[in-house]
Amino acid sequence: MALNLRKARQIIKAAMNKGAELQLKPLSVIVLDAGGHPIAFERSDGASPGRYGIAHGKAYGAVMLGMAGQAQMARAEQQAYFMAAVNGVFGGAVVPVPGGVLVRDAKGTVLGAVGVTGDTSDNDELAAVAGIEAAKLIADA
Amino acid sequence: MALNLRKARQIIKAAMNKGAELQLKPLSVIVLDAGGHPIAFERSDGASPGRYGIAHGKAYGAVMLGMAGQAQMARAEQQAYFMAAVNGVFGGAVVPVPGGVLVRDAKGTVLGAVGVTGDTSDNDELAAVAGIEAAKLIADA
Amino acid sequence: MALNLRKARQIIKAAMNKGAELQLKPLSVIVLDAGGHPIAFERSDGASPGRYGIAHGKAYGAVMLGMAGQAQMARAEQQAYFMAAVNGVFGGAVVPVPGGVLVRDAKGTVLGAVGVTGDTSDNDELAAVAGIEAAKLIADA
Amino acid sequence: MALNLRKARQIIKAAMNKGAELQLKPLSVIVLDAGGHPIAFERSDGASPGRYGIAHGKAYGAVMLGMAGQAQMARAEQQAYFMAAVNGVFGGAVVPVPGGVLVRDAKGTVLGAVGVTGDTSDNDELAAVAGIEAAKLIADA
């Protein structure tokens, strides 16, 4: 199974709904496939214009490294120069903080990743997880 | 009035429907705001993974230059070095072919742009125009 | 089904053997997955040091655009500025000439691409096709 | 003597075998020549898609600086700005952590480098060393 557009829409809708339910600031949500390429993206009204890049960077790092934002942040705090070097390799596109969550199927295969930005990193992550679970997929945060 | 997420969703939905109606290859559609920043994007199942960049490049050139893809293509055919220089300025992000269409309000103000890719450039443009018109906005192709 | 390392090794081995059989210059062969990411690469002794980038660029353009090197070359000859713009979008990584061949399964799904460089573009393509067919996959050149 | 494709295959095979023996996560292994250019690369099934860049960055830094990953990491920890500046010079391609190992001949001449990624940096290095020694060359970690 691969992530398709129908699943990506479900993820975005449910993540946005979670943001509304928790009264978070306006969220932006991206869904990437297993190769790190965008399937769908939405930016809420009122979000700042640079949100695509942040949402993308959270999800992209997760896919490319096979490691969610939480683990990337831990690595960045231990070895800042390592994550800086990783970003050199990936053209500066990686944003190593929570809110980048891997999407797995029931067997554990990585199908892609979701990136959420707009509120605190931890709240962004909550919304990403809610989105993934609403699509009946496994969130690995 | 600005382009908001609700309008962007309408545009994408109607552009995708136009593609289905005309039996085009799987389309990818992006909507950018008046600052050239993504509001929403969708890539159809079966489209190649690089479609985000192409869709973005069509719409981005339109917004940043205030000139739709048709006009950019004409300029590229007359003065290839000019569009190459433009791409130097804009980090290589501009794709100067049809399928990048400006979105205007009734007064003529640019609200953003739509980029469509997947079929021929001319068919991509048809889908973009259909999307914009379905949202009761003015398509400037 | 996805391209795995075992299939990639079969492709490379058979492409190299085809090169030897046809007495081609020393070949370099890369296999990319459906997201455009390297699975395996080999450069023959005597090949020039820059061959990784060329092999990669042939295969990468094929995957990202869903279009083999032959079709990319045709487009580049008709609309040089379009392929130049595409390369802006993809960081200059695309080499639009024969020798980049899509790998499809029996249903037509793109599993990845093979890039071969070292001899003439047409001979490079022959070797890529031979490699893909030896692995019982469909070559789309 | 130079590193050739036959030796590079031996190195990759033995490094992969070491990973299997130690039950490491799926490894990716690259062999670069004395000019820092790829001879061969393999990514194990199940490894994340960004592993080429990481493996390359470990080996590339080793060759270009004549200094294995261990020494680069020590320098990065003492003088993070120095390794950042090095990455400015080398286009962001250097990943200064263990797993990048120089390959020397019996006289001490650098023939190239091996980069391994997938498990902890220290385990990656063990696999790289095992690969080099299996090819009867000197590993300088």
Side-chain angles (χ1 to χ4, degrees):
Chain A
M1 188 178 63
L3 269 179
N4 56 24
L5 179 55
R6 191 175 59 81
K7 286 280 182 189
R9 285 174 180 153
Q10 289 175 5
I11 291 169
I12 290 176
K13 187 175 184 181
M16 292 294 199
N17 286 348
K18 190 69 178 181
E21 176 196 326
L22 300 178
Q23 298 185 285
L24 305 186
K25 292 183 193 164
L27 298 183
S28 301
V29 185
I30 198 166
V31 181
L32 303 184
D33 67 18
H37 304 293
I39 301 173
F41 169 76
E42 287 191 359
R43 172 164 56 105
S44 296
D45 299 343
S48 61
R51 291 293 162 181
Y52 175 84
I54 308 291
H56 177 272
K58 290 185 180 189
Y60 187 68
V63 171
M64 294 306 279
L65 300 170
M67 183 160 77
Q70 287 275 8
Q72 290 177 59
M73 183 172 69
R75 186 74 185 261
E77 287 178 357
Q78 288 174 340
Q79 268 186 303
Y81 62 86
F82 175 74
M83 287 310 297
V86 161
N87 246 333
V89 169
F90 296 115
V94 172
V95 179
V97 295
V101 179
L102 288 165
V103 181
R104 295 184 187 272
D105 66 13
K107 291 181 190 164
T109 305
V110 175
L111 304 179
V114 173
V116 177
T117 182
D119 205 274
T120 66
S121 292
D122 288 345
N123 283 337
D124 293 342
E125 184 185 292
L126 284 176
V129 169
I132 295 164
E133 292 180 348
K136 302 197 187 311
L137 294 163
I138 312 296
D140 173 358
Chain B
M1 187 177 65
L3 267 179
N4 57 23
L5 179 55
R6 192 176 58 82
K7 287 281 183 190
R9 285 175 181 152
Q10 288 175 6
I11 291 170
I12 290 177
K13 188 174 184 181
M16 292 292 198
N17 287 346
K18 190 69 177 179
E21 177 196 325
L22 300 178
Q23 298 186 286
L24 306 185
K25 292 183 195 165
L27 298 183
S28 301
V29 185
I30 197 166
V31 181
L32 303 184
D33 66 19
H37 304 293
I39 303 172
F41 170 76
E42 287 191 358
R43 173 163 55 106
S44 296
D45 299 343
S48 64
R51 292 293 161 181
Y52 176 84
I54 307 291
H56 178 271
K58 291 184 180 190
Y60 187 70
V63 171
M64 295 307 280
L65 301 169
M67 183 162 75
Q70 287 275 8
Q72 290 177 59
M73 182 172 71
R75 188 73 186 262
E77 286 179 358
Q78 288 174 341
Q79 270 186 303
Y81 61 86
F82 174 74
M83 288 309 299
V86 161
N87 250 333
V89 170
F90 295 114
V94 172
V95 180
V97 295
V101 179
L102 287 164
V103 181
R104 295 185 187 271
D105 65 14
K107 292 181 189 165
T109 306
V110 174
L111 305 180
V114 173
V116 177
T117 183
D119 204 274
T120 66
S121 292
D122 288 345
N123 284 336
D124 294 341
E125 184 185 292
L126 284 176
V129 168
I132 296 165
E133 293 180 346
K136 303 196 186 312
L137 294 161
I138 313 295
D140 173 359
Chain C
M1 187 178 63
L3 268 179
N4 56 23
L5 179 54
R6 191 176 59 83
K7 287 278 183 191
R9 285 173 180 155
Q10 288 175 5
I11 290 170
I12 290 176
K13 187 175 184 180
M16 291 294 199
N17 286 346
K18 191 68 177 180
E21 177 197 325
L22 299 178
Q23 298 185 287
L24 306 184
K25 291 182 195 166
L27 299 182
S28 301
V29 185
I30 198 166
V31 181
L32 303 184
D33 66 20
H37 304 293
I39 303 173
F41 170 75
E42 286 191 359
R43 172 164 56 104
S44 296
D45 299 342
S48 61
R51 291 292 162 182
Y52 175 84
I54 307 292
H56 177 271
K58 291 185 180 189
Y60 187 69
V63 171
M64 294 307 278
L65 301 169
M67 184 161 74
Q70 288 274 6
Q72 290 178 59
M73 183 172 69
R75 187 73 184 262
E77 287 178 357
Q78 287 174 338
Q79 267 185 304
Y81 62 86
F82 174 75
M83 287 309 299
V86 161
N87 246 333
V89 170
F90 295 116
V94 173
V95 180
V97 295
V101 179
L102 288 165
V103 180
R104 295 185 188 272
D105 65 15
K107 291 180 190 165
T109 306
V110 174
L111 305 179
V114 173
V116 177
T117 182
D119 205 275
T120 66
S121 292
D122 288 346
N123 283 337
D124 293 343
E125 184 184 292
L126 284 177
V129 169
I132 295 164
E133 293 181 346
K136 302 198 186 312
L137 293 162
I138 312 295
D140 173 358
Chain D
M1 188 179 64
L3 266 179
N4 57 23
L5 179 53
R6 191 175 59 81
K7 286 280 182 189
R9 285 174 180 153
Q10 288 175 4
I11 291 169
I12 291 176
K13 187 173 185 181
M16 292 292 199
N17 286 348
K18 190 70 178 181
E21 177 196 324
L22 299 178
Q23 297 186 285
L24 305 186
K25 291 184 195 164
L27 298 183
S28 301
V29 185
I30 197 167
V31 181
L32 303 183
D33 66 19
H37 304 292
I39 303 173
F41 169 76
E42 286 191 358
R43 173 164 56 106
S44 296
D45 299 344
S48 64
R51 292 293 161 182
Y52 176 83
I54 308 291
H56 178 270
K58 291 184 180 190
Y60 187 68
V63 170
M64 296 307 279
L65 301 170
M67 182 161 76
Q70 287 275 7
Q72 290 177 59
M73 182 172 71
R75 188 71 184 264
E77 286 178 358
Q78 288 174 340
Q79 271 186 302
Y81 62 86
F82 175 74
M83 288 309 299
V86 160
N87 249 333
V89 171
F90 295 113
V94 171
V95 180
V97 294
V101 179
L102 287 165
V103 180
R104 296 185 186 272
D105 65 13
K107 291 179 190 166
T109 306
V110 174
L111 305 180
V114 173
V116 177
T117 183
D119 205 273
T120 66
S121 293
D122 288 345
N123 283 336
D124 294 341
E125 184 184 293
L126 284 177
V129 168
I132 295 164
E133 292 181 346
K136 303 196 185 314
L137 293 162
I138 312 296
D140 173 359

